[in-house]
Amino acid sequence: MTISSMSKYALFALVALSAFSAVASAEDVVTLTGKNFDEWTSAQDFAVVEFYAPWCGHCKKLTPEYEKAAGILKKENPPILLAKVDATEEENKELGTKFGIRGFPTLKIFRKGAAPEDYNGPREADGIVDYVKKMSGPAASLLTTKKEVDAFLAENDAALLGVFSGEKDEALATFLTTANVFREDGGFAYVFDEKVLPTKGTKAGAKAHLYKKYDNEYDAFEGSIESEALKEFFNEKSTPLVVTFDQDPKNRARMNKVFSSEKPKMLAFVDFASKEDEMRRVLTEQAPKYKEHVNILIADFKDNDRAMEFFGLSKDSKKATVVIHSMADNKKYVQEVEGDFSKVATFMQGFADGKLEAHVKSEPIPDKNNDPVYVLVAKEFEKVMGSGKDVMVEFYAPWCGHCKKLAPIYDEVGTEFKSNDKVVVANFDATANDVPDAAFNVKGFPTLYFKNGKTGEISQYEGAREKDALIKYIKEKGAFAA
């Protein structure tokens, strides 16, 4: 019976039945603890585990989607199981440490006998299902007809096809290993007959063929299939010259690859509604020349307030701007290109030549600064640190609860040394200002450092956040505080 011939009632019943079958249940998600975790995960060929905290808002948002996906996936043949661990429970805290859980929710993929992998897929039910099915299935499949090859290429943005003599070809095992490593970065398949490959644009005799829906669209791997060479080939050639910086799951793996690299990152902020195509074209033209110097991303002004804030850009600005962050020395470079995208090439060349002046995000120097705790900003950081005075500085974030708790105590410390003009007790809003000196390694809040006015020695304070302990530290470490 076709849909057009169904009665309205029958169609309604079919939809209702489908909806009912997808009802989420907490029982569909396996609950794990420190007592049963190792035994359970080691028994699964494939499983996903969510590490969560009951108070976490993002975890609460994920819960119904995760439960719905679990209900669907457990009906697969064989079933694919999703599990969860309350990482805040005392008996489970060792698991959080063991697997490097630093935020919630964190999802990990477990395969029997293998080290866990990061889950980089969507956070909504249908996306979770599609991603998990892809990650749990074979890393690569055999294609035997042109129709199968065409369908495979149509469904993958990046598709690597290997050519082998048969199942006993020794190079096939190497290909499958590479496919497993990069399975979330693209599609992998293999053929035993080169004739089923697309004839147009395919290089005859190549051992592997990479077809893409971006950049140059095709690359041939012509060497012998060896593990490292094939991995290097796919890793380099499958990464777009210009990566989109957004929340789309298909871009997440590419972004992870870009941000795990030590190479400087260049972002182009632009209004996607009106100028995305033009900016993307310019970046793609310049990328081959500068890809050794920077990884290039393009970002919409919309939904990227935090990234813009990081570079000191106003979230209300709609002027196309390119920025570079050099992670090695934590320097930032900013260039507005609104109305003249030719400035993009000049900016990139300037960075490659080492001729750009670093941009320092800073609040204005306060007109009045007479409180017990000196308000330090990036514009005068070097001046204060080079003043020859003892300086204790707290790097904080306005939203940080621990910083708020420390504030009244720190004010008392400032009062203690207020009359000593050779001692400065300062604070520094590290969300509104760049830290200009890499010697001050700020990775969390609050972070406190002390610089001796005579020797210039810099030390990080890691003691108790109490008045007497802080005062004692300043007196012991300082040249003028005793």
Side-chain angles (χ1 to χ4, degrees), residues 266 286 289-290 293-294 324 333 335 342-358:
M266 172 173 164
Q286 299 299 324
K289 184 176 179 180
Y290 298 104
H293 299 281
V294 291
I324 291 175
Y333 305 88
Q335 174 68 59
S342 67
K343 292 179 181 178
V344 173
T346 305
F347 179 69
M348 297 173 80
Q349 186 63 55
F351 179 75
D353 293 340
K355 294 181 178 180
L356 294 184
E357 183 178 344

Side-chain angles (χ1 to χ4, degrees), residues 138-378:
S141 54
L142 171 65
L143 306 179
T144 60
T145 67
K146 280 185 173 291
K147 185 176 180 181
E148 288 177 342
V149 169
D150 289 344
F152 171 73
L153 297 182
E155 69 183 21
N156 289 287
D157 286 346
L160 187 67
L161 273 164
V163 181
F164 304 96
S165 60
E167 292 287 355
K168 295 183 179 180
D169 191 326
E170 292 182 1
L172 178 56
T174 300
F175 181 85
L176 294 177
T177 299
T178 301
N180 191 55
V181 171
F182 293 104
R183 63 163 77 210
E184 67 176 310
D185 295 339
F188 293 81
Y190 56 96
V191 302
F192 296 148
D193 182 0
E194 193 176 49
K195 293 179 182 178
V196 301
L197 298 177
T199 53
K200 185 178 180 180
T202 298
K203 189 162 187 175
K207 300 296 184 181
H209 308 267
L210 179 61
Y211 301 90
K212 298 173 288 185
K213 295 180 181 178
Y214 49 86
D215 297 346
N216 60 340
E217 298 184 348
Y218 173 81
D219 289 290
F221 181 82
E222 299 183 79
S224 60
I225 292 186
E226 298 174 353
S227 180
E228 292 308 313
L230 187 60
K231 288 177 182 177
E232 184 178 342
F233 169 81
F234 184 80
N235 189 48
E236 178 185 349
K237 301 296 185 181
S238 68
T239 303
L241 292 172
V242 180
V243 175
T244 302
F245 185 87
D246 64 11
Q247 298 299 316
D248 190 325
K250 75 177 182 180
N251 291 320
R252 188 171 289 129
R254 294 168 180 169
M255 288 172 59
N256 286 343
K257 190 184 298 184
V258 166
F259 284 99
S260 64
S261 166
E262 292 298 318
K263 191 184 297 183
K265 316 298 182 284
M266 172 173 164
L267 282 84
F269 291 100
V270 69
D271 183 359
F272 271 24
S274 60
K275 297 188 175 74
E276 178 189 4
D277 291 344
E278 183 183 357
M279 178 62 84
R280 195 179 288 274
R281 176 183 58 76
V282 170
L283 294 173
T284 302
E285 288 174 355
Q286 299 299 324
K289 184 176 179 180
Y290 298 104
K291 66 180 181 179
E292 298 303 317
H293 299 281
V294 291
N295 285 319
I296 303 174
L297 304 100
I298 185 169
D300 193 354
F301 286 121
K302 184 180 179 182
D303 299 327
N304 278 310
D305 291 355
R306 294 292 294 273
M308 293 174 66
E309 179 185 329
F310 179 76
F311 288 98
L313 306 180
S314 169
K315 66 179 182 180
D316 298 320
S317 172
K318 294 298 180 183
K319 294 181 179 180
T321 303
V322 287
V323 300
I324 291 175
H325 181 211
S326 174
M327 298 177 67
D329 53 15
N330 198 30
K331 289 186 177 179
K332 302 170 186 175
Y333 305 88
V334 178
Q335 174 68 59
E336 185 183 304
V337 295
E338 183 72 19
D340 185 4
F341 282 8
S342 67
K343 292 179 181 178
V344 173
T346 305
F347 179 69
M348 297 173 80
Q349 186 63 55
F351 179 75
D353 293 340
K355 294 181 178 180
L356 294 184
E357 183 178 344
H359 170 82
V360 179
K361 179 177 70 171
S362 178
E363 294 178 292
I365 298 174
D367 293 331
K368 294 182 179 180
N369 214 341
N370 298 317
D371 290 336
V373 175
Y374 189 86
V375 178
L376 184 60
V377 298

Side-chain angles (χ1 to χ4, degrees), residues 36-65:
N36 65 354
F37 188 93
D38 289 342
E39 180 181 1
W40 187 87
T41 53
S42 63
Q44 311 305 316
D45 291 325
F46 179 95
V48 178
V49 179
E50 175 203 5
F51 295 85
Y52 74 97
W55 45 258
C56 165
H58 294 296
C59 302
K60 293 176 182 178
K61 183 178 179 181
L62 174 63
T63 295
E65 301 295 327

Side-chain angles (χ1 to χ4, degrees), residues 1-21:
M1 180 184 294
T2 64
I3 288 180
S4 59
S5 64
M6 286 183 181
S7 69
K8 291 182 179 179
Y9 175 80
L11 181 58
F12 173 80
L14 179 62
V15 173
L17 180 61
S18 298
F20 178 79
S21 65

